[in-house]
């Protein structure tokens, strides 16, 4: 079936083993290039890999629901994930045999373009994520190292004071103990302050990252609403065209009937 001009979503084509929608019901849903394109467009819009903590599975479920709406058949999030992973494997290995196994040339080219853009975005996100984690880990290790150095320095000072005062008389014993207690208190307070500062900095970084993800999710939700509106518009357009085709068919039947009657009338004369 030819694709409607200007359509965002390809016209639904039946599976290679099922000649019509009634026979396709109850059988396992099969992906082919035209259906891959619809799946990849949803993935490009929602970017499941970039969802926040605890949101990845929910995003894949949303992808499956949107694809199911287009094809009017239940598709699981697992089926969508497995198909995407398979396409990614074929694409990264440049497995042309499997990539070109079925479908038209224009469908192959569109699917290749979508895979190129999606995997580039995914790789960029993973690279940025790894870099952020490495930077945060390095800062935390550096702060822990500084805190350890401060503790060692305080303990060294404490030992030196203790060694110097070993020869003092018993009358200075209480003074020495008091100084030791003050040094230990100073060390504990210093260590707690370093740890608190490190924790506050790390919490701010997490909060900034979460706000950035929230902004991105809002943008994706807006884009998803626009896509849903476009789908509804396409469905209405499709219905109108089906009505027009039915009216044209009836007009042609009536026209042919009139022509036959005219011919029969001329034969009788």
């Amino acid at each position: 079936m030819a694709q409607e001009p200007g359509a965002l979503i390809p016209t639904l084509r039946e599976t290679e083993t099922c000649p019509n929608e009634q026979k396709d019901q109850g059988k396992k849903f099969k992906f082919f290039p035209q259906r891959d394109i619809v799946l990849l467009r949803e993935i490009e819009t929602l970017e499941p890999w970039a969802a926040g903590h605890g949101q990845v599975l929910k995003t894949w479920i949303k992808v499956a629901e949107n694809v199911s709406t287009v094809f009017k058949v239940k598709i699981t999030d697992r089926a969508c994930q497995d198909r995407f992973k398979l396409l990614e494997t074929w694409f990264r290995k440049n497995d042309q045999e499997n990539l070109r196994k079925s479908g038209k040339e224009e469908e192959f080219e569109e699917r290749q373009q979508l895979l190129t853009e999606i995997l580039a975005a995914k790789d960029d996100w993973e690279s940025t994520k790894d870099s952020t984690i490495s930077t945060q880990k390095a800062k935390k290790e550096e702060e822990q190292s500084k805190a350890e150095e401060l503790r060692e320095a305080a303990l060294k000072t404490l030992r030196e004071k203790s060694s110097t005062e070993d020869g003092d008389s018993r009358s200075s014993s209480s003074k020495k103990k008091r100084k030791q207690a003050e040094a230990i208190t100073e060390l504990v307070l210093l260590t707690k302050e370093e740890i608190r500062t490190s924790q506050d900095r790390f919490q701010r970084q997490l909060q900034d990252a979460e706000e950035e993800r929230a902004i991105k999710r809002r943008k994706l939700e807006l884009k998803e609403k626009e896509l849903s509106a476009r789908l509804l518009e396409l469905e209405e357009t499709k219905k109108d065209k089906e009505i027009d085709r039915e009216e044209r068919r009836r007009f042609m039947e009536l026209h042919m009937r009139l022509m036959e009657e005219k011919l029969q009338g001329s034969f009788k004369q």
Side-chain angles (χ1 to χ4, degrees):
M1 183 181 294
Q3 184 174 348
E4 296 292 344
L8 293 178
I9 302 299
T11 304
L12 176 62
R13 187 176 70 185
E14 304 307 321
T15 62
E16 297 161 343
T17 57
C18 301
N20 53 54
E21 186 174 345
Q22 287 74 23
K23 291 185 178 180
D24 192 39
Q25 292 177 353
K27 294 192 175 183
K28 184 177 180 181
F29 182 85
K30 293 184 179 181
F31 280 101
F32 49 78
Q34 195 176 42
R35 289 178 172 179
D36 289 338
I37 290 171
V38 176
L39 171 65
L40 291 173
R41 284 176 177 168
E42 288 297 328
I43 293 173
E44 183 181 36
T45 299
L46 298 178
E47 294 187 339
W49 60 85
H53 179 69
Q55 298 297 317
V56 175
L57 179 58
K58 291 182 180 179
T59 305
W60 275 111
I61 291 174
K62 187 62 178 176
V63 169
E65 289 175 350
N66 291 346
V67 175
S68 297
T69 300
V70 174
F71 296 123
K72 297 180 175 62
V73 61
K74 177 65 176 177
I75 308 170
T76 65
D77 60 290
R78 173 53 59 187
C80 293
Q81 291 186 63
D82 290 345
R83 183 61 177 179
F84 177 63
K85 289 178 181 178
L86 182 62
L87 291 173
E88 180 179 2
T89 300
W90 288 347
F91 182 84
R92 293 189 187 278
K93 290 183 177 180
N94 196 24
D95 188 348
Q96 295 296 315
E97 181 179 356
N98 280 312
L99 288 171
R100 292 182 177 273
K101 185 175 292 184
S102 62
K104 300 178 182 180
E105 180 63 25
E106 57 267 25
E107 293 172 346
F108 167 78
E109 292 178 356
E110 184 174 359
R111 187 176 64 180
Q112 286 292 96
Q113 181 63 32
L114 284 167
L115 282 169
T116 300
E117 294 173 356
I118 290 171
L119 294 180
K122 181 183 176 185
D123 291 344
D124 288 344
W125 183 86
E126 289 178 347
S127 176
T128 302
K129 178 184 176 184
D130 292 341
S131 176
T132 302
I133 292 174
S134 298
T135 302
Q136 291 176 348
K137 183 178 179 181
K139 287 183 177 179
K140 187 175 181 180
E141 291 176 350
E142 181 181 357
E143 290 166 355
Q144 289 177 344
S145 177
K146 289 181 178 179
E148 185 65 27
E149 290 177 359
L150 290 171
R151 283 195 297 270
E152 288 294 331
L155 287 172
K156 182 179 179 181
T157 302
L158 183 60
R159 286 193 295 268
E160 290 176 351
K161 288 181 179 179
S162 178
S163 177
T164 302
E165 295 174 355
D166 280 344
D168 292 347
S169 60
R170 292 181 180 180
S171 59
S172 63
S173 177
S174 59
K175 182 179 180 181
K176 181 174 67 176
K177 289 180 179 180
R178 186 169 57 255
K179 288 183 178 180
Q180 290 176 348
E182 291 173 353
I184 291 174
T185 301
E186 181 182 355
L187 172 64
V188 171
L189 292 175
L190 183 62
T191 302
K192 286 184 177 180
E193 183 63 27
E194 287 290 329
I195 293 174
R196 189 181 301 109
T197 301
S198 175
Q199 290 176 340
D200 291 343
R201 187 182 298 109
F202 186 67
Q203 287 297 326
R204 285 196 300 270
Q205 291 173 347
L206 288 178
Q207 184 178 357
D208 292 342
E210 183 62 31
E211 289 176 355
E212 184 178 350
R213 285 194 293 269
I215 292 172
K216 194 168 187 178
R217 281 197 298 271
R218 286 195 293 270
K219 290 181 179 179
L220 290 176
E221 289 172 357
L222 179 60
K223 192 173 181 181
E224 181 185 347
K225 290 180 181 178
E226 293 175 352
L227 179 60
S228 297
R230 180 58 177 159
L231 284 173
L232 291 175
E233 182 181 345
L234 290 173
E235 287 293 331
E236 293 297 326
T237 302
K238 183 179 177 182
K239 291 179 182 177
D240 293 340
K241 290 182 179 179
E242 289 176 352
I243 293 173
D244 291 342
R245 283 197 294 269
E246 181 65 20
E247 290 179 352
R248 287 198 299 270
R249 185 184 66 77
R250 292 177 179 176
F251 175 79
M252 291 301 297
E253 289 178 353
L254 178 60
H255 179 70
M256 293 299 295
R257 192 179 300 115
L258 291 174
M259 291 295 294
E260 289 176 359
E261 291 176 357
K262 287 183 179 180
L263 288 173
Q264 291 175 359
S266 60
F267 285 149
K268 289 179 180 180
Q269 293 175 359

